[in-house]
Amino acid sequence: MKNRHTLSVLVEDHPGVLNRVVSLLRRRSFNIDSITVGHSEQPGVSRMTIVVLGRDQEVEQAGKQLYKLMEVLKVTDVTPLNCIAHELALIKVAAKSQTRSEILQIAQIYNARVVDASPTTLLIEATGPEEQVDGLLNMLKAFGIRELVRTGPVAMMRGTSTVGVKEGPRPDRELAVAGNGTVAISN
Amino acid sequence: MATRSTALEEHPSAQPPGSGRSEERSLLTGSEIVCRALEDEGVETVFGYPGGAVIPLYDALPKAGFHHVLVRFEQWAALAAEGYARATGKPGVCLVTSGPGATNLVTGLADAMLDSIPIIAITGQVIQPLIGRDAFQEVDITGITLPVTKHNYLVNRIEDLAPTIREAFHIATTGRPGPVLIDIPKTLFLQKHPYTPAQTVHRRGYQPTSVPNIRQVRLAANAIATARRPLVMAGHGIMLSGATDLFRQFVEKTGIPVAHTLLGLGSFPESHPLGLGLMGMHGHKHVNDALDECDLLLNIGARFDDRATGQVSGFAPNAFVVHVDVDPAEIGKNVHTDVPVVGDAAEVLRLLIPEVEQEHRDDWLAWIDSRRDRALDEALEERPAWPEPYTIIKAIAEATDGEAVVTTDVGQHQMWAAQHYGFDHPDRWITSGGLGTMGFGLPSAIGAKIGRPDREVWAIIGDGGFQMSCNELATAVQENLDINIAVINNGYLGMVRQWQDLFHAKNYSEVKIGAPDFEKLAEAYGITGITVRTDAEIRPAIDRARAIRGPVLIDFVIEPEANVWPIVPPGAANSGMLHQQRYEG
């Protein structure tokens, strides 16, 4: 069965690295739902959060293929792990003077905030799990959504666990020992 | 700080010894740095073709400490570099200009990628201010070759040149080997910089696993201990890791028979009682039968390619699968694996041999032997009047004592050679396995002969593939290479015709291919051409070719509709293979 998987990928911050990662996923026939890239806590290391749709085994294969890129330091499938996965959305919604207060109430329910306004629109910034953003959008649909941009999720494990990469051999061996199961990586 | 630097300016002697004026003297151009870096990597031969962006680099070549072989088409430069690498075990190097020179390399890089061959491709790029402006002979070759290289670089600073070349060789030759491309803008060739031999390579993201996990090795040993009908699937990785001696020790100790993949030929002697020969689509009947029957399949250094496995669901249906591979991404990619062992074949075997018991498996071997297809041997004894392809291959094997390096193109002649040459030694069988590149045979033979002048080299080629790369005859002549070219000429694109014959109701669509008189073509290039039209002429022609120094071409005109038997139909399991019922006479 195909499931959505969220991969945290630590990469060296080199020119073209995004191209390499995306190109690899494309040629292995992976559909990328969303991808975000930004700095990590380590200088010179970027962190990508990639959401792909695939069978567990296919996603494990994708993880192994990603490791073959020189710039890739660590791949973690955080889907089964206890993690926070949040995205940010900017929503420009049509707002008349009669509907404005109702929209503000809805935004409040979803912990979203208004960051800009015009006589005919409100610009709402929402953060949270994808389902929460979906819910807010669903509620706002009736008023008329003029423009929407979503980042796709970024993810981080709860508690003290991190996906940070240490110096030393890559966890290829552990990957292989896990065999055909999930991408179990421990180093 | 300001005071300090002023002091240095006023007192140049305060600088460390060796810098200052002597440094100025030791400034090299980018071109010279490339040459020095290649020399420091031990490069003796470069296959290349000059052009606009690399003119400054070619300016430095006459003084370089390596030999440049001028090919006639850039694609063949990459394949010659591959032939060189496959024959010597050292990385092959090719060098071309930007734009079309670079794009012409793509097929060769893809070929090397699929067959895990270490080659270094250096491409010139337009001057830096023009990059991204669709300049004359500009292509984004690093973008184009992303999926067909192990890694690639666009070098932007002259100080990065030497370290990049060092790192490229490291990446190409370690772990699972593969092609690495270095794109160098023309600007850099002209700049100057001191050359310091590059240091050890360290990349956080590249640390291939070479020594396996002992727990996995012991699991493999346990599987061997309990198996009753074990079979080894021997792949290219055994030779790439230089493990043939260890592999032979392992096989002789455990008594496990060996099925060879196409690129695994040579990893274990076929003449040995435990050496079975080719498996897969055109594998021998008893080998594919053994795959069906085995209860343990130990794959060492092969990647379960679809031409080897046939339909995966029917592949080795009764087997517990152990897979040894240096590339963890190959584990479980195509075939379900019960025990993965990630590591270099040599390291794995070194640890595995002490863990296994000495055994003999006479019943299992007798069973396999009973599955041999004797019809072919009997058919061969009939010796028809025309040159029969199996006979030609066997005659070359006999004449060369099985010691020659054999290169091929792709198609029927390739399968006949794989089935019947009988490879007993590593690094003798050079063929395009993964990509199936027509035209491969001649340029790879040129590369092999230059790399191993001490070895006899035979290029066994079809008449279709030969017409793709016969322009390289000029290279062979220019380099005065003692190679023998056997064209197996049926006037058809034979393998496609065979599929049309068997699977498309003999609808021979666009497979009849005309050709020039190859004997005259040879003469035009100033080399000896021999035409063979009867069985009786085969051996004398081979002997004559071997006696002549320099390139010789033999045109073996064979029966136009001879087929390769057996064959597993596309999409079928290996057990569904079709056999020759009777000799097609």
Side-chain angles (χ1 to χ4, degrees):
Chain A
M1 203 190 66
K2 289 198 174 192
N3 289 317
R4 274 159 57 94
H5 288 257
T6 306
L7 305 178
S8 274
V9 184
L10 293 174
V11 298
E12 287 176 313
D13 183 15
H14 287 177
V17 62
L18 179 63
N19 185 18
R20 285 179 196 275
V21 167
V22 172
S23 160
L24 185 143
L25 291 171
R26 176 195 54 76
R27 74 177 188 265
R28 301 275 172 188
S29 301
F30 277 93
N31 219 333
I32 298 174
D33 235 41
S34 71
I35 182 165
T36 69
V37 196
H39 297 298
S40 72
E41 76 283 1
Q42 301 169 64
V45 175
S46 300
R47 179 160 170 163
M48 300 184 179
T49 307
I50 309 172
V51 179
V52 292
L53 189 69
R55 292 183 188 87
D56 292 355
Q57 215 169 316
E58 292 169 350
V59 174
E60 185 207 353
Q61 174 63 213
K64 287 172 168 183
Q65 294 292 343
L66 284 171
Y67 267 120
K68 290 171 76 163
L69 299 177
M70 303 300 146
E71 291 86 355
V72 170
L73 303 175
K74 181 126 191 216
V75 183
T76 313
D77 185 351
V78 299
T79 319
L81 306 176
N82 188 7
C83 68
I84 302 278
H86 280 186
E87 70 169 326
L88 182 146
L90 294 175
I91 310 156
K92 193 172 281 179
V93 61
K96 298 193 275 264
S97 52
Q98 306 95 299
T99 56
R100 190 156 295 163
S101 61
E102 195 182 341
I103 292 171
L104 284 170
Q105 274 177 10
I106 292 168
Q108 207 171 10
I109 293 168
Y110 286 91
N111 274 328
R113 55 196 197 104
V114 174
V115 291
D116 188 43
S118 77
T120 55
T121 59
L122 285 172
L123 178 51
I124 296 172
E125 177 195 299
T127 60
E130 275 184 287
E131 308 79 58
Q132 186 179 318
V133 177
D134 287 345
L136 173 61
L137 283 168
N138 200 33
M139 292 297 290
L140 294 177
K141 225 176 347 183
F143 303 97
I145 292 168
R146 294 279 181 79
E147 198 176 352
L148 169 69
V149 57
R150 299 174 72 158
T151 59
V154 291
M156 187 174 283
M157 278 185 275
R158 289 178 188 272
T160 52
S161 320
T162 67
V163 301
V165 66
K166 293 173 197 156
E167 282 294 323
R170 293 190 308 172
D172 290 349
R173 210 177 301 166
E174 279 68 22
L175 245 178
V177 173
N180 297 324
T182 51
V183 190
I185 296 169
S186 53
N187 71 339
Chain B
M1 283 302 283
T3 326
R4 199 182 154 86
S5 65
T6 311
L8 272 176
E9 277 157 28
E10 284 168 8
H11 304 282
S13 58
Q15 288 182 0
S19 59
R21 285 182 65 187
S22 64
E23 185 175 289
E24 255 168 52
R25 234 179 296 136
S26 69
L27 282 181
L28 300 186
T29 63
S31 299
E32 290 164 338
I33 289 172
V34 171
C35 293
R36 282 284 297 276
L38 291 177
E39 287 162 15
D40 285 353
E41 293 296 332
V43 172
E44 290 168 352
T45 307
V46 169
F47 302 89
Y49 205 100
V54 288
I55 289 174
L57 180 53
Y58 272 78
D59 199 39
L61 280 195
K63 285 191 200 144
F66 49 79
H67 173 53
H68 179 273
V69 177
L70 179 68
V71 296
R72 295 303 185 271
F73 179 45
E74 289 95 344
Q75 183 173 327
W76 311 135
L79 296 184
E82 258 201 80
Y84 179 93
R86 291 182 190 221
T88 62
K90 297 188 284 188
V93 181
C94 52
L95 163 63
V96 300
T97 191
S98 65
T103 54
N104 282 342
L105 282 186
V106 172
T107 302
L109 294 170
D111 195 280
M113 185 71 177
L114 279 171
D115 286 352
S116 308
I117 304 300
I119 63 173
I120 303 290
I122 296 176
T123 51
Q125 182 54 278
V126 300
I127 57 169
Q128 280 162 316
L130 287 181
I131 290 179
R133 291 166 181 251
D134 304 320
F136 176 67
Q137 294 196 327
E138 180 192 2
V139 295
D140 169 21
I141 197 62
T142 44
I144 289 171
T145 58
L146 213 55
V148 294
T149 50
K150 186 173 174 186
H151 193 54
N152 64 23
Y153 304 86
L154 169 60
V155 187
N156 277 315
R157 304 181 309 174
I158 187 159
E159 58 268 38
D160 294 338
L161 257 183
T164 301
I165 291 170
R166 173 80 273 272
E167 189 175 289
F169 275 83
H170 174 72
I171 288 172
T173 54
T174 51
R176 179 181 181 171
V180 177
L181 179 137
I182 310 169
D183 198 24
I184 307 173
K186 187 176 184 176
T187 344
L188 264 51
F189 293 129
L190 300 162
Q191 290 170 5
K192 287 192 169 181
H193 195 72
Y195 176 77
T196 26
Q199 310 300 313
T200 335
V201 174
H202 173 73
R203 270 200 84 140
R204 292 173 74 185
Y206 181 68
Q207 287 159 37
T209 307
S210 150
V211 179
N213 186 323
I214 188 69
R215 281 177 300 168
Q216 298 303 107
V217 173
R218 294 208 172 109
L219 287 175
N222 287 345
I224 292 167
T226 52
R228 291 176 51 241
R229 295 179 303 281
L231 186 68
V232 175
M233 174 173 174
H236 193 195
I238 294 168
M239 282 170 288
L240 288 171
S241 76
T244 43
D245 290 343
L246 282 164
F247 182 54
R248 185 169 179 151
Q249 273 180 45
F250 168 79
V251 170
E252 288 180 341
K253 186 171 181 189
T254 56
I256 305 178
V258 177
H260 297 79
T261 68
L262 180 64
L263 291 186
L265 293 168
S267 59
F268 185 83
E270 285 186 70
S271 61
H272 192 286
L274 293 170
L276 301 182
L278 188 68
M279 62 177 280
M281 182 172 266
H282 293 288
H284 304 289
K285 176 176 173 295
H286 61 289
V287 187
N288 283 346
D289 284 357
L291 278 162
D292 265 7
E293 191 67 16
C294 69
D295 60 357
L296 168 67
L297 184 67
L298 175 57
N299 174 341
I300 305 181
R303 61 184 174 89
F304 288 120
D305 168 65
D306 57 277
R307 286 297 198 264
T309 62
Q311 191 192 50
V312 167
S313 59
F315 176 69
N318 307 308
F320 184 86
V321 176
V322 176
H323 189 180
V324 176
D325 206 300
V326 74
D327 179 358
E330 288 303 334
I331 308 282
K333 187 181 80 178
N334 296 336
V335 167
H336 172 80
T337 299
D338 298 291
V339 176
V341 186
V342 175
D344 178 77
E347 300 290 344
V348 173
L349 288 166
R350 206 167 280 135
L351 290 172
L352 184 57
I353 291 169
E355 302 280 335
V356 293
E357 301 292 323
Q358 184 86 38
E359 287 204 50
H360 295 282
R361 305 172 189 274
D362 297 338
D363 290 353
W364 173 222
L365 292 179
W367 184 89
I368 296 172
D369 198 52
S370 74
R371 311 293 291 184
R372 273 179 200 277
D373 181 8
R374 314 270 174 207
L376 180 67
D377 298 337
E378 287 162 19
L380 279 177
E381 279 165 26
E382 290 177 21
R383 299 298 289 258
W386 61 78
E388 206 279 333
Y390 297 101
T391 318
I392 297 166
I393 305 297
K394 282 179 180 289
I396 294 173
E398 225 173 76
T400 58
D401 225 5
E403 294 278 353
V405 172
V406 175
T407 73
T408 72
D409 261 54
V410 168
Q412 289 185 310
H413 68 279
Q414 178 192 31
M415 292 300 126
W416 284 318
Q419 291 172 329
H420 297 289
Y421 187 81
F423 291 92
D424 281 351
H425 309 285
D427 306 329
R428 303 301 207 278
W429 170 238
I430 297 179
T431 195
S432 170
L435 194 65
T437 307
M438 285 178 71
F440 181 91
L442 182 52
S444 60
I446 288 171
K449 186 68 189 179
I450 288 172
R452 290 302 302 254
D454 55 321
R455 290 206 173 139
E456 182 172 350
V457 174
W458 279 79
I460 301 178
I461 315 182
D463 51 315
F466 182 58
Q467 289 187 73
M468 283 198 179
S469 59
C470 62
N471 48 359
E472 290 306 319
L473 283 175
T475 308
V477 171
Q478 189 165 336
E479 296 291 324
N480 192 26
L481 298 177
D482 189 15
I483 56 173
N484 297 310
I485 302 154
V487 180
I488 312 295
N489 181 358
N490 56 9
Y492 275 117
L493 298 173
M495 189 58 94
V496 178
R497 186 210 52 76
Q498 174 169 345
W499 282 41
Q500 290 173 342
D501 173 6
L502 299 175
F503 313 122
H504 295 272
K506 277 190 186 285
N507 180 19
Y508 288 172
S509 173
E510 296 300 323
V511 286
K512 186 89 193 130
I513 183 165
D517 181 328
F518 289 139
E519 194 177 316
K520 281 193 180 144
L521 183 73
E523 280 165 23
Y525 280 102
I527 65 173
T528 308
I530 306 168
T531 306
V532 171
R533 292 178 193 281
T534 65
D535 180 73
E537 294 168 319
I538 294 174
R539 186 58 198 258
I542 292 168
D543 291 339
R544 199 180 141 208
R546 297 184 74 222
I548 296 170
R549 304 282 299 168
V552 179
L553 184 151
I554 312 177
D555 179 15
F556 291 100
V557 182
I558 65 162
E559 206 271 314
E561 299 198 20
N563 282 342
V564 180
W565 300 106
I567 176 171
V568 177
N574 282 346
S575 56
M577 73 191 319
L578 307 174
H579 301 280
Q580 183 178 26
Q581 292 309 311
R582 201 174 123 47
Y583 193 72
E584 302 158 29

